[in-house]
């Protein structure tokens, strides 16, 4: 797992035999190493999930294609969705949390280093369990198979009658196990932030990234557990003959939907909130201005967290809730637009009047702003329940959420990679390759996901393995598939950049971006103990104060 | 500087081109699509009020889009670092209460307006009362086909729904009661109404009042298993006379054609009858589609194939050849028997 | 620990919601009102163990080790009694009334909810016993009192959950 592409031996040690190195990585409890493990692990799964996406796209390239069988297609989108959400974005965000939070608050490690390692290995084990289903799914009955129940695993499709074999169980267990890992890490993040801040780092002086991780951690606690509970019920149904979701015995399929989305909706904000954090760190630095409206940004993040706990049934507008419930979930969903809008406006306010340096991290952030805006607005369109009666379960929704997740989160993540890679490895990523990566990915992204809205409007449902030639969806789908391949090339460029810059990149120095938060005050990569002397801060931008003693932030607080 | 301005112009132009393209593509498809799955071409009241709401929401969000994108583009083109100023820091601004208040309050107002418009349409569609002249159909979703029952008319059919056109002055809307025999499904005919799910143990309701005759296409929208992709739907909107005629013919028991007696014999002595119904015979299974008037349908197996003798034969020989994963087993009939059964099927008008 | 309790609470919430949702929805018997008896005695046991564990902690703070050990053991006994009660009830339900987890919706939700709680009691008892062993070995004094407090917080939580479960299962559910 510890791909040597990114692993960095601590600077002060001499070359060690690789077995020792491996042993060190596998048994590590250091927050930076665990962070890197998480990130590398997520990247591997990104490639896997991406290959699955490509298989989906090849199959849908034209009508009545038979590149893969319907069964395989259904497994592909199930595995693609599950992998991307649970084994790509979640771990990569936890990875950055592990790496950055202690550095940003001037701590030497996470609050519970051993819990940290334990959680990582739980998550890793979860991912392996999921993929083991490819071989073990049918047990002794024959060839293997992966789950084909969709990433929501709606009842009663998961009942024994409709999903024989063990593939659904691998899915359930994988999410259960990695869910416990996530809860462990969330507890760790919260405890670290609340207890280990360095002297002077009051709550209202923490970098926004840290605030957003605090919100994310709290949401994980509240959001993942309903999923775990529902998974336990599902296991009881499947193994002990329970009837929670068994329609034949009076059980309710709708209950599962509620449980899943009580988890599922907050989950998507869990994913996006740290991405907001990346923007809130990168945009100020490259605009050379402090974040606009810090207190409001904090308040908006917390507001998003709270409101998003009460919007889940906007994924269920078509299941036949009564008109009051539909109206309620429509208004709460639209209400999330307000605090989210505040964030968008504040980022623009940060750039406004600044001196913007268009380095690769900043490019990705601007891409985020633009795409997240569109994605949010298509979200609002879907939040109008009657409109969603048409759009729900169609490719319009698929376009909406890839717009948020790929156009938003993935862009922010790429930005974060370019921004913090120098800190993590001590070397800069190549700007030239970075620009190639950015533009290729931008083009591929828009080709794929702009166009994807249209088949949705033309009545194309999601999760269909093929479609009829007379519907007029052919050309559109071809364009979408071409875009996916351009994205694939861009990602290969990115991976190549990660590897080659590790060996040949320019030396970064402590503070290549002239930034202001504490992680840039220590060496790159930081020593095992992070800071030689525990830093003391007097404002939100400690390094600004150091660099501009004549005009320190602290005098305004 | 000029190069940078040029860059941003190129960028803006590209983006606008993309959007223009999307818009044109949608509009063009809306014009030409003869297929009838376009939500921009509604032919029935629920679909139409949804479209009006969509256009309203679209224009408001479009407006927001234009405003915010303008802000983004201005800020990235106007506030670029230049070689002259790159090495000094700009004025450090920390926030502004008035501005932040403004961009909180305006969105709140917009949200309220959007919500009121939404709630009105929700109410109008969902709480519409059922008028006395309405046609009632019970729709039962099966893994991977549709069962349609007209309780008042005593008709059972599959995959192709017939409903009367509704004259706005004398509305004869159709009200669907949605049930499921196994997993979740969703009934979606975009030009007639929004979709509603069919969920076991959770009866749902939806309605439509098509104002134009013709065949409208749709398909199952909720993932229901292997062949979810080929669970297609055809809704034939008939004139009042045609509908009445269709009802009369469907109410007849199956035709007993002596020339196909051999095929019928085989059919009735094979497991077919455990799953299929042919009224007036021993076949009364309900696991598969009712075959009493099989020949009145244009397609078989929920739209997976056209209803031709060749396809029928292929289907009965091996359903998986047409629809891999469908729940009808291959019956392993001999070639001769197969021909006879197909011949029998072809008499079921 | 506070975080863990939040997380645990939401797990229990989901199970409680499921229980409430399915009250009266079983298609076949037996129904709760036919078979459930209110376990007043064992409830009192569990609730009073909260009091004993609290005072055990207070004695430990004042370095009164023997009182601590006495009350601590009492807590374990009370908790054990409660578990015994649950076990007896299940035995009765299964053998006398034929109610198992797969009988009907009531069985499914009842055993899962009460079982989940019993699982937490068991986990708590194990931790309490480990402490007791250390205590008997003389390894526990006022210095550990903060750690002990964390454990008793957990125990209070398990008790509080029982109040909810009790209300839902034995009062609302009947
Ligand atoms: C990271 C993830 C993420 C984020 C941030 C969002 C954000 C939003 N989402 Fe999305 N969503 C998903 C991920 C995400 N979504 C996923 C994965 C699914 C589908 C899952 C599946 O089915 O498989 C989904 C599905 C989904 C649905 C269900 C569709 C269906 O299946 O029928 C709906 C419906 O309401 C919805 C709405 C919204 C809204 C209103 C927001 C809002 O938060 C957006 C807020 C942002 C803005 C509005 C833009 C900026 C604001 C301004 C410029 C201010 C001015 C604006 C106004 C006053 C309106 N989303
Ligand atoms: C983090 C979340 C995430 C991400 C990043 C993506 C990324 C992509 N997704 Fe996915 N998607 C989901 C989350 C995500 N998706 C979810 C939750 C669903 C719903 C599932 C469900 O319905 O249950 C879904 C469903 C979904 C569908 C709908 C399937 C259906 O309904 O039938 C489609 C169809 O086009 C699609 C396409 C894509 C594409 C083209 C990308 C591209 O952006 C991917 C780009 C990446 C690559 C192309 C990788 C490049 C790698 C290589 C080239 C590898 C080289 C190989 C090695 C060295 C090993 N996705
Ligand atoms: Cu039926 Cu999908
Ligand atoms: Cu949502």
């Amino acid at each position: 797992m510890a791909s040597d592409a990114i692993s960095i031996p601590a600077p002060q040690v001499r070359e060690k035999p690789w077995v020792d190195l491996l042993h060190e990585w596998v048994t590590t409890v250091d927050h930076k190493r665990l962070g890197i493990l998480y990130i590398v692990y997520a990247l591997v799964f990104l490639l896997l999930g991406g290959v699955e996406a490509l298989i989906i796209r090849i199959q849908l390239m034209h009508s009545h294609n038979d590149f893969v069988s319907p069964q395989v297609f259904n497994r592909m989108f199930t595995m693609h969705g599950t992998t991307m959400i649970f084994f790509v974005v979640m771990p990569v965000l936890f990875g950055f949390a592990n790496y950055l939070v202690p550095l940003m608050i001037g701590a030497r490690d996470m609050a519970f280093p051993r819990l940290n390692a334990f959680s990582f290995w739980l998550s890793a084990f979860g991912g392996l369990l999921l993929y083991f289903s490819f071989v073990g799914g049918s047990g002794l009955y024959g060839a293997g198979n992966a789950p084909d129940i969709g990433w929501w695993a709606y009842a009663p499709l998961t009942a024994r009658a409709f999903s024989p074999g063990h593939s659904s169980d691998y899915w359930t267990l994988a999410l259960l196990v990695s869910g416990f890992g996530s809860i462990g890490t969330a507890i760790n993040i919260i405890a670290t932030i609340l207890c280990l801040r360095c002297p002077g780092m009051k709550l209202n002086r923490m970098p926004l990234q840290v605030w957003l991780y605090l919100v994310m951690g709290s949401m994980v606690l509240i959001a993942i557990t309903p999923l775990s509970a529902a998974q336990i019920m599902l296991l009881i149904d499947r193994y002990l003959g329970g009837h929670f979701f068994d329609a034949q015995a009076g059980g309710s399929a709708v209950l599962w939907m509620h449980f899943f989305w009580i988890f599922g909706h907050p989950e998507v904000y869990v994913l996006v909130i740290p991405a907001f954090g990346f923007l809130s760190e990168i945009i100020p630095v490259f605009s050379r201005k402090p974040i606009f409206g810090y207190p409001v940004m904090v308040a908006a993040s917390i507001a998003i967290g709270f409101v998003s706990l009460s919007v889940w049934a906007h994924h269920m507008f078509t299941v036949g809730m009564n008109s009051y419930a539909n109206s309620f979930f429509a208004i709460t969903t639209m209400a999330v637009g307000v605090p989210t809008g505040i964030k968008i406006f504040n980022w623009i306010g940060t750039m406004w009047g600044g001196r913007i340096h268009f380095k690769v991290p900043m490019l990705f952030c601007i891409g985020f702003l633009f795409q997240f805006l569109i994605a949010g607005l298509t979200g609002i369109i879907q939040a109008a329940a009657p409109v969603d009666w048409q759009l729900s379960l169609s490719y319009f929704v698929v376009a909406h959420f890839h717009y948020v997740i790929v156009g938003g989160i993935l862009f922010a993540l790429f930005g974060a990679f370019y921004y913090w890679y120098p800190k993590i490895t001590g070397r800069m990523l190549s700007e030239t390759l970075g620009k190639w990566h950015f533009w290729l990915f931008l083009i591929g992204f828009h080709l794929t996901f702009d166009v994807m809205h249209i088949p949705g409007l033309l009545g194309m449902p999601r999760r269909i393995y093929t479609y009829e030639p007379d519907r007029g969806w052919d050309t559109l789908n071809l364009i979408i598939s071409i875009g996916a391949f351009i994205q694939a090339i861009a990602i290969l460029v990115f991976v190549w950049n990660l590897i080659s810059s590790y060996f040949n990149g320019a030396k970064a120095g402590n503070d290549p971006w002239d930034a202001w938060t504490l992680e840039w005050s220590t060496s790159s990569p930081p020593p095992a103990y992070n800071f030689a002397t525990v830093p003391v801060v007097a404002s939100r931008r400690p390094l600004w104060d150091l660099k501009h003693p004549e005009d320190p932030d602290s005098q305004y607080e | 500087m000029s190069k940078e301005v040029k860059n941003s112009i190129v960028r803006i132009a590209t983006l606008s081109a993309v959007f223009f393209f999307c818009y044109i593509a949608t509009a063009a498809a809306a014009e030409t699509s003869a297929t009838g799955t376009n939500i921009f071409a509604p032919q029935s009241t629920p679909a139409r009020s949804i479209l009006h709401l969509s256009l309203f929401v679209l224009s408001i969000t479009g407006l927001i889009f234009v405003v915010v994108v303008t802000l983004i583009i201005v800020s990235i083109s106007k506030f670029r670092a230049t070689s002259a100023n790159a090495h000094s820091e700009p004025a450090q601004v920390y926030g502004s209460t008035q501005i932040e208040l403004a961009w909180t309050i305006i969105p709140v107002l917009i949200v309220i307006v959007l919500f009121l418009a939404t709630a009105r349409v929700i109410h109008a569609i969902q709480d519409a009362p059922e008028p006395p002249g309405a046609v009632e159909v019970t729709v039962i979703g099966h893994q991977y086909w549709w069962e349609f029952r007209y309780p008042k008319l005593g008709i059972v059919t599959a995959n192709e729904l017939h409903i009367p056109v509704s004259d706005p002055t004398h509305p004869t809307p159709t009200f669907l009661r949605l049930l499921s025999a196994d997993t979740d499904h969703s009934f979606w005919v975009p030009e007639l109404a929004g979709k509603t799910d069919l969920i076991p143990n959770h009866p749902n309701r939806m309605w439509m009042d098509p104002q134009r005759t013709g065949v409208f296409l749709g398909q199952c929208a909720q993932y229901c298993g292997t062949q979810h992709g080929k669970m297609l739907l055809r809704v034939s909107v008939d004139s009042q006379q045609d509908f009445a005629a269709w009802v009369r013919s469907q109410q007849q028991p199956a035709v007993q054609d002596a020339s196909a007696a051999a095929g019928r014999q085989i059919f009735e002595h094979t497991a077919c009858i455990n799953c299929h119904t042919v009224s007036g015979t021993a076949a009364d299974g309900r696991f598969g589609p009712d075959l009493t008037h099989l020949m009145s349908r244009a397609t078989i197996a929920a739209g997976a194939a056209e209803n031709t003798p060749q396809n029928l034969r292929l289907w009965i020989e091996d359903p998986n050849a047409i629809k891999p994963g469908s729940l009808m087993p291959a019956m392993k009939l001999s070639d001769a028997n197969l021909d006879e059964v197909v011949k029998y099927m072809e008499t079921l008008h | 620990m506070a975080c863990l309790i939040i997380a645990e609470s939401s797990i229990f919430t989901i199970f409680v919601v499921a229980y409430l949702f399915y009250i009266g929805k079983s298609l076949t018997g037996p129904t709760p009102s036919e078979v459930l008896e209110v376990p007043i005695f064992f409830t009192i046991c569990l609730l009073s163990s909260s009091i004993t564990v609290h005072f055990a902690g207070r004695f430990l703070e004042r370095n009164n080790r023997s009182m601590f050990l006495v009350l601590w053991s009492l807590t374990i006994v009370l908790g054990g009694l409660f578990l015994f009660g649950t076990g007896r009830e299940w035995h009765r339900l299964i053998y006398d009334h034929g109610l198992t987890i797969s009988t009907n919706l009531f069985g499914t939700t009842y055993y899962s909810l009460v079982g989940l709680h019993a699982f937490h009691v068991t986990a708590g008892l194990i931790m309490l016993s480990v402490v007791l062993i250390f205590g008997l070995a003389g390894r526990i004094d006022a210095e550990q009192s903060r750690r002990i407090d964390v454990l008793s917080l957990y125990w209070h939580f398990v008790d509080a959950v029982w109040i909810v479960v009790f209300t839902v299962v034995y009062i609302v559910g009947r």
Side-chain angles (χ1 to χ4, degrees):
Chain A
M1 186 57 45
S3 146
D4 40 10
I6 297 202
S7 58
I8 30 152
Q12 69 273 34
V13 289
R14 287 171 284 111
E15 280 299 307
K16 284 192 201 163
W18 64 271
V19 198
D20 283 4
L21 215 64
L22 183 66
H23 180 261
E24 261 180 27
W25 277 90
V26 171
T27 57
T28 185
V29 294
D30 174 41
H31 73 99
K32 295 185 290 299
R33 290 195 161 190
L34 283 167
I36 293 169
L37 283 176
Y38 263 119
I39 292 172
V40 173
Y41 164 83
L43 281 175
V44 171
F45 276 98
L46 173 68
L47 296 182
L48 279 174
V51 168
E52 285 153 358
L54 293 180
I55 295 175
I56 294 176
R57 284 323 316 171
I58 296 175
Q59 166 71 12
L60 292 178
M61 207 129 58
H62 59 83
S63 50
H64 286 177
N65 193 1
D66 56 1
F67 176 68
V68 291
S69 69
Q71 289 88 346
V72 171
F73 183 88
N74 296 344
R75 283 171 206 150
M76 284 303 121
F77 71 70
T78 304
M79 293 298 272
H80 165 72
T82 311
T83 307
M84 287 293 198
I85 300 275
F86 294 98
F87 301 109
V88 176
V89 182
M90 285 290 271
V92 84
L93 293 176
F94 281 144
F96 276 105
N98 260 311
Y99 202 96
L100 294 176
V101 167
L103 284 170
M104 283 184 155
I105 60 175
R108 290 209 156 128
D109 205 329
M110 298 288 276
F112 311 113
R114 269 178 296 178
L115 173 64
N116 202 4
F118 179 62
S119 301
F120 168 74
W121 290 106
L122 273 185
S123 307
F125 180 58
L128 293 183
L129 258 183
L130 183 67
Y131 274 82
F132 186 68
S133 66
F134 272 111
V135 271
S138 301
L140 299 175
Y141 299 111
N145 67 28
D148 58 355
I149 46 186
W151 85 281
W152 324 324
Y154 269 8
L157 207 56
T158 47
R160 276 232 168 269
F162 302 107
S163 299
H166 299 297
S167 54
S168 315
D169 302 320
Y170 280 107
W171 182 87
T172 307
L173 288 173
L175 296 202
L176 199 58
V177 169
S178 71
F180 287 132
S182 304
I183 293 171
T185 306
I187 292 178
N188 214 340
I189 293 176
I190 296 174
T192 308
I193 296 176
L194 292 183
C195 308
L196 296 188
R197 276 165 292 135
C198 69
M201 177 75 72
K202 294 193 240 154
L203 279 180
N204 67 2
R205 283 186 191 151
M206 293 193 311
L208 276 176
Q209 179 81 67
V210 177
W211 260 112
L212 285 156
Y213 268 123
L214 186 60
V215 175
M216 178 225 197
S218 324
M219 288 182 68
V220 167
L221 288 190
I222 302 173
I224 300 271
T225 40
L227 180 69
S228 306
Q231 305 283 19
I232 294 173
M233 292 180 189
L234 182 58
L235 284 178
I236 290 177
D237 270 13
R238 284 179 66 92
Y239 280 98
L240 301 178
H243 303 292
F244 281 109
F245 310 115
D246 173 6
Q248 250 73 41
S252 165
V254 180
L255 191 69
W256 171 273
M257 298 181 190
H258 279 294
F259 287 167
F260 185 83
W261 289 117
I262 286 173
F263 147 77
H265 185 83
E267 167 72 10
V268 303
Y269 285 91
V270 164
L271 301 181
V272 84
I273 277 181
F276 290 164
F278 298 145
L279 259 78
S280 306
E281 295 305 317
I282 296 174
I283 290 186
V285 167
F286 291 94
S287 308
R288 311 306 309 157
K289 272 178 64 198
I291 189 83
F292 194 89
Y294 176 98
V296 183
M297 286 299 251
V298 172
S301 315
I302 297 175
I304 293 176
F306 271 107
V307 179
S308 71
L309 294 178
S310 62
V311 306
W312 74 87
H314 66 213
H315 296 272
M316 300 168 53
F317 283 142
T318 63
V319 306
M321 297 181 293
N322 66 35
S323 53
Y324 295 103
N326 280 336
S327 309
F328 172 79
F329 286 106
I331 178 84
T332 49
T333 304
M334 290 176 180
V336 184
V338 177
T340 315
I342 294 176
K343 296 186 97 67
I344 302 245
F345 291 125
N346 278 351
W347 288 319
I348 298 177
T350 308
M351 299 197 299
W352 199 271
R355 253 164 234 163
I356 306 177
H357 294 252
F358 289 91
K359 291 287 189 330
V360 176
M362 187 64 181
L363 289 180
F364 276 106
C365 288
I366 294 170
F368 174 102
L369 280 184
F370 177 73
Q371 281 132 210
F372 188 76
L373 172 68
I374 297 179
L377 294 174
T378 55
I380 297 289
I381 292 173
Q382 296 173 128
V387 182
D388 197 53
W389 293 335
Q390 288 286 18
L391 300 179
S392 182
L393 305 173
S394 80
Y395 261 85
F396 191 91
V397 175
V398 181
H400 156 73
F401 71 75
H402 283 91
Y403 235 97
V404 208
I405 295 185
V406 180
I409 299 172
L410 221 52
F411 268 69
L413 269 171
F414 288 142
F417 269 103
Y418 284 89
Y419 184 67
W420 279 293
Y421 188 87
K423 178 53 56 188
I424 297 175
T425 63
R427 296 196 184 248
M428 306 295 287
L429 279 171
S430 151
E431 278 279 311
T432 326
L433 285 177
K435 292 227 159 95
W436 274 99
H437 169 205
F438 173 73
W439 287 107
L440 276 175
F441 200 72
L442 191 79
I443 293 168
F445 169 82
H446 283 282
L447 221 46
T448 301
F449 296 113
D450 292 4
V451 178
M452 198 185 267
H453 291 90
I454 304 171
L457 298 174
L458 295 181
M460 179 167 170
R462 59 196 285 199
R463 297 171 166 177
I464 53 174
Y465 72 94
T466 191
Y467 46 91
E468 303 304 302
D470 63 0
R471 301 283 157 107
W473 304 334
D474 276 81
T475 323
L476 297 168
N477 274 294
L478 183 63
I479 301 175
I480 296 173
S481 299
I482 294 174
F485 280 93
I486 301 182
Q487 291 178 56
I489 299 172
I491 292 200
L492 290 181
V493 172
F494 171 61
V495 172
W496 173 242
N497 198 355
L498 287 181
I499 296 173
S500 71
S501 298
Y502 178 70
F503 298 106
N504 310 320
K507 287 262 189 290
N510 288 0
D511 185 13
W513 309 116
D514 192 6
W516 302 311
T517 37
L518 281 181
E519 75 270 28
W520 304 105
S521 68
T522 180
S523 64
S524 312
Y529 43 84
N530 291 352
F531 301 99
T533 54
V534 172
V536 178
V537 300
S539 79
R540 282 172 203 148
R541 295 193 295 170
L543 297 203
W544 171 275
D545 294 356
L546 272 183
K547 292 169 190 169
H548 301 268
E550 74 292 351
D551 180 29
D553 265 8
S554 42
Q555 82 194 30
Y556 300 107
E557 275 182 24
Chain B
M1 183 71 198
S2 75
K3 180 171 156 269
E4 281 149 0
V5 171
K6 219 165 68 200
N7 270 353
S8 48
I9 289 174
V10 169
R11 194 170 312 145
I12 296 166
T14 324
L15 295 178
S16 342
V18 166
F19 274 87
F20 189 66
F21 165 77
C22 293
Y23 177 77
I24 295 294
T26 318
E31 286 300 320
T32 57
S33 155
T35 64
T37 55
N38 185 341
I39 70 168
F40 288 116
Q43 302 296 340
S44 148
T45 307
R48 192 165 304 121
S49 29
I50 291 179
L51 177 62
H52 291 158
L53 179 65
S54 314
L55 293 178
F56 176 69
V57 179
L58 252 173
S59 40
I60 290 197
T61 47
L63 211 68
I64 299 176
F65 173 74
V66 171
V67 171
V68 182
V69 160
T70 314
L71 287 176
I72 297 179
I73 289 179
V74 170
S75 64
I76 60 178
S77 41
K78 196 163 158 210
F79 301 107
R80 316 177 134 241
T82 59
S83 42
N85 67 14
H87 296 289
S88 59
E89 303 282 13
Q92 302 291 303
V93 179
Y94 297 89
S96 152
T97 313
Q98 286 94 342
I99 300 182
E100 286 168 47
L101 219 55
W103 64 46
T104 311
I105 292 174
I106 297 174
V108 169
L109 298 178
I110 299 179
V111 162
I112 292 175
V113 172
L114 285 177
F115 169 67
L116 292 177
T118 303
R120 225 191 84 234
V121 180
I122 294 181
H123 175 72
I125 296 180
Q126 238 187 326
D127 300 338
E130 182 175 333
V135 177
E136 282 179 9
V137 185
T138 302
V139 180
I140 305 171
H142 293 261
Q143 272 182 327
Y144 317 109
W145 59 282
W146 304 91
E147 177 176 355
F148 299 120
R149 299 185 157 250
Y150 298 66
K152 284 198 203 145
L153 303 172
I155 298 175
V156 182
T157 179
N159 297 334
E160 298 181 10
L161 178 66
H162 283 254
I163 59 177
V165 73
S166 174
D167 177 353
T169 50
H170 299 284
T172 45
T174 303
F175 275 72
L176 305 180
R177 205 174 120 77
L178 305 171
L179 310 173
S180 164
D182 36 51
T183 56
D184 305 333
H185 308 269
S186 193
F187 187 98
W188 190 25
V189 183
E191 296 187 358
L192 297 182
K195 64 181 74 61
T196 309
D197 293 359
L198 296 81
I199 301 168
N201 260 355
H202 184 92
N204 274 333
R205 189 187 87 134
M206 67 184 277
W207 63 279
M208 47 212 179
D209 58 345
Q211 281 130 28
R212 180 168 76 78
T213 56
V215 173
F216 296 87
L217 301 180
Q219 70 191 77
C220 175
Q222 180 68 280
Y223 179 63
C224 49
T226 311
Q227 275 294 345
H228 158 64
K230 285 226 176 123
M231 184 164 164
L232 310 184
L233 246 176
R234 295 164 73 87
V235 177
S236 168
V237 176
D238 304 334
S239 67
Q240 294 290 349
Q241 297 84 326
D242 288 354
F243 182 68
W246 181 81
V247 167
R248 271 194 307 282
S249 74
Q250 294 286 314
Q251 283 167 335
Q252 306 300 318
V255 178
Q256 308 262 0
D257 193 328
S259 70
R264 181 175 160 198
Q265 181 78 12
I266 301 164
F267 181 79
E268 287 183 4
H269 289 88
T270 316
C272 311
I273 57 171
N274 294 335
C275 299
H276 293 287
T277 299
V278 176
S279 68
T281 74
D284 62 352
R286 282 194 58 187
F287 187 75
D290 188 306
L291 301 179
T292 312
H293 299 285
L294 177 64
M295 284 302 136
S296 69
R297 307 203 273 268
T299 60
I300 55 169
E306 272 174 48
N307 191 353
T308 62
Q310 296 83 344
N311 283 342
L312 263 179
R313 191 176 194 281
L314 181 58
W315 173 262
I316 297 168
E317 190 183 359
D318 181 12
N320 274 321
I322 293 183
K323 210 170 163 180
S326 93
L327 295 189
M328 168 159 154
M331 298 305 296
K332 306 211 165 55
L333 298 176
S334 69
D335 271 3
N337 285 355
L338 212 57
D339 290 334
E340 293 295 341
V341 170
V342 172
K343 224 164 104 196
Y344 169 57
M345 295 280 124
E346 279 175 71
T347 63
L348 297 173
H349 286 285
Chain C
M1 190 37 100
C3 293
L4 188 69
I5 285 179
I6 294 178
E8 291 264 32
S9 312
S10 50
I11 292 195
F12 274 108
T13 312
I14 294 295
F15 274 89
V16 167
V17 167
Y19 192 90
L20 289 172
F21 184 84
Y22 283 133
I23 284 176
K25 296 230 172 99
S26 292
L27 300 182
T28 55
T31 62
S33 48
E34 284 164 23
V35 295
L36 280 190
E37 287 161 16
V38 185
I40 304 257
F41 171 70
F42 296 112
T43 302
I44 293 175
C45 283
L46 189 66
L47 295 187
S48 47
S49 73
S50 228
I51 302 174
T52 53
V53 85
H54 174 81
F55 283 105
R58 295 292 77 74
F59 277 114
L60 184 65
E61 246 172 29
R62 278 179 258 124
N63 228 344
N64 187 340
R65 299 218 329 237
S66 50
M67 267 319 273
F68 162 73
L69 285 178
V70 169
L71 284 175
W72 198 259
S73 326
L74 194 59
T75 311
I76 297 178
V77 170
L78 289 171
L81 262 178
F82 172 81
L83 262 193
F84 170 73
T86 308
R88 227 189 41 171
E89 179 169 26
W90 285 22
H91 186 271
R92 188 173 57 78
L93 287 175
I94 294 172
Y95 289 97
D96 299 355
H97 300 281
L99 178 77
T100 66
I101 196 163
S102 58
T103 308
N104 58 11
L105 275 175
F106 163 58
T108 305
T109 49
Y110 167 81
Y111 284 111
S112 333
L113 179 57
V114 176
L116 187 69
H117 180 258
F119 172 73
H120 282 81
V121 176
T122 314
L125 281 181
I126 292 173
M127 292 192 282
L128 291 172
S129 315
V130 171
V131 171
L132 183 66
I133 293 169
F134 284 130
L136 290 175
R139 296 284 180 80
I140 288 187
D141 51 32
E143 277 181 23
Q144 267 84 31
S145 111
R146 271 198 55 209
R147 292 177 170 181
I148 298 297
D149 280 350
V150 172
L151 188 50
S152 63
L153 186 63
Y154 173 83
W155 193 250
H156 291 316
F157 166 72
V158 171
D159 269 9
V161 170
W162 179 250
I163 297 180
V164 176
V165 172
F166 182 82
T167 319
V168 168
V169 174
Y170 295 97
I171 299 177
V172 183
R174 280 174 9 127

